[in-house]
Amino acid sequence: QVQLVESGGGLVQAGGSLRLSCAASGRTFSFAAMGWFRQAPGKERELVVAIDWISGAPYYADSVKGRFTISRDNAMNRVWLQMNSLEPRDTAVYYCAASRYHSGRALSDYDYWGQGTQVTVSS
């Protein structure tokens, strides 16, 4: 089993920044990538960013390119999501997730999930 715990959400004004953190524990050797998903009220959960745990190669959804940055520290089993130039449309619950696939993109590619952290961007 892998346990994921997110932190760092909150309320911020449009144009502001937040940094989310995800700490992994347990069988961390069993996953190949980590990602951040988000789910807004009434919408499906979507992949925002992901990172290959071995190579560090990132993936960004078009909606966040140039504004969000994902990074990881393998030794600490942590991944961070730096979110800049936040917009009201970024408001959602953000979930950290771990995948057995290096290039996991679909929801079903991810086996382990955190409890989520709320990000609210006011206009």
Side-chain angles (χ1 to χ4, degrees):
Q1 288 289 338
V2 175
Q3 294 77 42
L4 304 173
V5 179
E6 304 102 332
S7 61
L11 172 64
V12 64
Q13 289 188 328
S17 298
L18 280 175
R19 190 187 195 209
L20 305 183
S21 175
C22 176
S25 61
R27 296 170 60 87
T28 57
F29 58 84
S30 65
F31 61 79
M34 291 189 74
W36 287 94
F37 287 75
R38 68 185 180 187
Q39 187 166 20
K43 294 189 176 181
E44 293 185 354
R45 193 171 297 190
E46 62 175 354
L47 179 63
V48 177
V49 300
I51 190 165
D52 186 303
W53 199 244
I54 305 302
S55 70
Y59 162 84
Y60 296 98
D62 288 342
S63 59
V64 304
K65 280 181 181 176
R67 301 188 299 123
F68 290 13
T69 303
I70 188 170
S71 59
R72 96 260 192 245
D73 185 316
N74 296 56
M76 295 179 61
N77 290 323
R78 276 187 180 267
V79 64
W80 294 271
L81 177 61
Q82 178 66 42
M83 305 185 292
N84 298 328
S85 302
L86 283 162
E87 303 169 1
R89 65 188 174 110
D90 296 316
T91 295
V93 177
Y94 284 70
Y95 297 89
C96 175
S99 173
R100 76 188 80 172
Y101 305 111
H102 287 281
S103 57
R105 299 286 183 265
L107 209 66
S108 58
D109 291 338
Y110 288 78
D111 306 297
Y112 303 102
W113 295 84
Q115 80 286 354
T117 185
Q118 177 71 46
V119 171
T120 303
V121 185
S122 63
S123 57

